[in-house]
Structures are given as structure tokens and as C-alpha cells.
Amino acid sequence: MFEPNSTIGWATGRLKATTRDLLMFLRAPKLTDHEVQTTGQMTGKPGDLIWLFAVNCMIVAAIAIVLFPIMLASGVTMSNSMSDLFGRPVWQIFLIVVIAGPIVEELMFRSWLSGTPRLLFPVSGLILWMGLTYSYEQLGWPGPAAMGTAPLLALIAGAVLICVIIFWKRPVPGWYIRIFPLVFWVQALLFGSVHVFNYAGDNPAALLPFVLPQTIGGLIWGYARIRYGWWANIAMHMAYNLLATSGLVYVLLTRPDML
């Protein structure tokens, strides 16, 4: 259809190659590169991210074509917290959604995904802190309250810092390499699932189909994290949120009744 040396043919070839590599990775996520396993440094070419982002956008656009009419027909709306967020001044929306949000979410869900111990310990400390906080607020366990918030946080932070220093140059553990496929898919599914709270509804399970774009993002940005490094998934997340937020802000400015 296209000439071998034409611009369109070249671009189509790059998109196909990127998609093929992405699908091969998703079929069997793995950490096999020696440099990744020993140092956590990635070897992917930064320029290839443009094609990966294009694939990301095309997949989400195809999903949106199906989901958007269903959302309108079923009356799915934004949650109160999301409505409050998009009721803020435009500059605040972009600051929170396009810059702060992607950084925080990527640090929590994918900064540690390469499996180097110096990155696993901080996220382990965060999980411990969240678990202790939940145990106090929801289960009534008095332990965290008895110790005090500040001393408990300082204890966890100190232990994490010591572990990071001790294990700074350690390679990716063998056990992590073995369970990496499970870890990779769980982080993507969990990332998608937490976005169910973006929507209003009494039955969160019924809203799960509407977080498919975020789940796809968790998979593609996780792939970018492994192939290109910690900055790539943050950059892609920011770019994606910029596009999505720009469209949503335009709609809300022209149709404020949708808030």
C-alpha cells in the first residue's frame, strides 16, 4: 500500500514494531537484560517513546469510542471529589492532574518496578505505613496511636534509609525476577482499579469497565518503566493526562452543567 521509503510507510512500520514488542512483553513480562538486573539502568532509545505514546493513545481512543456512549447511556458521572477538582481554576487542574498526579502515582506504582533493592525498600516502607494507618483507622488496633504518628513515621523512614544505604548496589533479587510477571500485572490492575473512585456509583464493580483506559496505561507505562527507565513512565503519564485533561476541561468550559 505504501512505498517502502515513504514517510507514511516508515511511520506505519515503526508503529507496528512498537506494538509487536509491547505485546510480546505483555505476554510474558520479564527482566532478562543483565544491565537491568544488576544496576536497574535501561537501554531503550528515548526516541522510541514517541511511537509507544502513539500506540497508547490509539488504544485508549478505540476504547473511548466504545465506553463513552455507554457512560452517557448509563448516566455514569464523576465522583464528588473529581467534580470538586475540576471545579478549581484551570491552572490548578493542570498543576494537580498533569504534573503532581502523575509524579505521585508513578512513584507509588512503578518507580520500584525494576526490582532493585534500593527502590523496593521505600515502597515497602510506604506499604507498611499505609497498613498501620489502616489498622488504626479501620480495625481499631491501638498500636500506631500508642506509639504516635511522628515517632512511627520517623522509625519507618529511618529503617528504610538504612536499608537503602546498605543495599544500594545490590542486584535485583532472584525471587523478584521469578515473580515479576505477577508483580507487573498486579500493579497495572491495581492502578486501574483505584481509579474507580473517579466515578459516582453505589456499585464499584459495575464501574470497573470504565477504568480500562487507566489499566491499559498501567500496562504500557509499566512497559516504558522497564524498557526506558524511571523518567519514561512519568513523561508518558504526564503527556497522556495533558491530552485527556485538555479535552475534559474544554468540555467543562463549554458545558459547565456536566459538573
Side-chain angles (χ1 to χ4, degrees), residues 21-221:
D21 190 64
L22 172 64
L23 292 176
M24 289 178 61
F25 179 87
L26 295 181
R27 284 177 55 190
K30 57 183 177 180
L31 293 169
T32 56
D33 186 89
H34 177 71
E35 189 175 3
V36 172
Q37 291 185 18
T38 55
T39 67
Q41 299 298 315
M42 314 307 162
T43 57
K45 296 179 180 178
D48 293 341
L49 274 182
I50 297 174
W51 305 104
L52 183 61
F53 183 68
V55 171
N56 190 171
C57 291
M58 288 189 291
I59 293 174
V60 172
I63 294 172
I65 291 174
V66 177
L67 288 182
F68 191 66
I70 297 175
M71 290 180 66
L72 293 178
S74 57
V76 174
T77 59
M78 290 190 295
S79 65
N80 291 335
S81 60
M82 289 296 291
S83 295
D84 292 342
L85 172 60
F86 281 92
R88 292 169 176 262
V90 172
W91 70 269
Q92 290 186 14
I93 295 175
F94 279 93
L95 177 64
I96 295 171
V97 179
V98 179
I99 299 178
I103 291 175
V104 172
E105 289 183 343
E106 292 304 316
L107 287 175
M108 289 181 61
F109 285 94
R110 282 170 285 277
S111 63
W112 48 270
L113 200 54
S114 61
T116 51
R118 65 176 180 267
L119 298 177
L120 289 176
F121 281 114
V123 75
S124 298
L126 176 61
I127 293 173
L128 177 60
W129 169 253
M130 293 173 63
L132 290 174
T133 302
Y134 178 84
S135 69
Y136 171 63
E137 294 179 350
Q138 302 296 326
L139 305 179
W141 181 48
M147 180 175 289
T149 301
L152 179 61
L153 183 59
L155 180 63
I156 294 175
V160 167
L161 179 60
I162 293 173
C163 290
V164 168
I165 294 173
I166 294 175
F167 292 91
W168 183 261
K169 293 186 178 181
R170 296 290 182 88
V172 178
W175 61 264
Y176 183 85
I177 296 173
R178 290 190 291 272
I179 68 169
F180 177 73
L182 176 63
V183 171
F184 181 86
W185 276 92
V186 167
Q187 64 82 23
L189 294 174
L190 183 60
F191 176 74
S193 297
V194 298
H195 285 82
V196 74
F197 298 107
N198 290 356
Y199 305 98
D202 297 328
N203 184 7
L207 299 174
L208 286 177
F210 301 108
V211 300
L212 188 55
Q214 288 89 346
T215 304
I216 295 296
L219 293 171
I220 294 179
W221 303 334

Side-chain angles (χ1 to χ4, degrees), residues 86 94 98 240-253:
F86 281 92
F94 279 93
V98 179
Y240 175 86
N241 278 17
L242 176 61
L243 287 179
T245 303
S246 297
L248 185 55
V249 166
Y250 173 77
V251 171
L252 294 177
L253 290 176

Side-chain angles (χ1 to χ4, degrees), residues 214-239:
Q214 288 89 346
T215 304
I216 295 296
L219 293 171
I220 294 179
W221 303 334
Y223 165 83
R225 170 70 181 94
I226 298 303
R227 281 285 190 267
Y228 303 101
W230 61 269
W231 61 271
N233 47 305
I234 296 177
M236 288 192 65
H237 195 159
M238 285 182 171

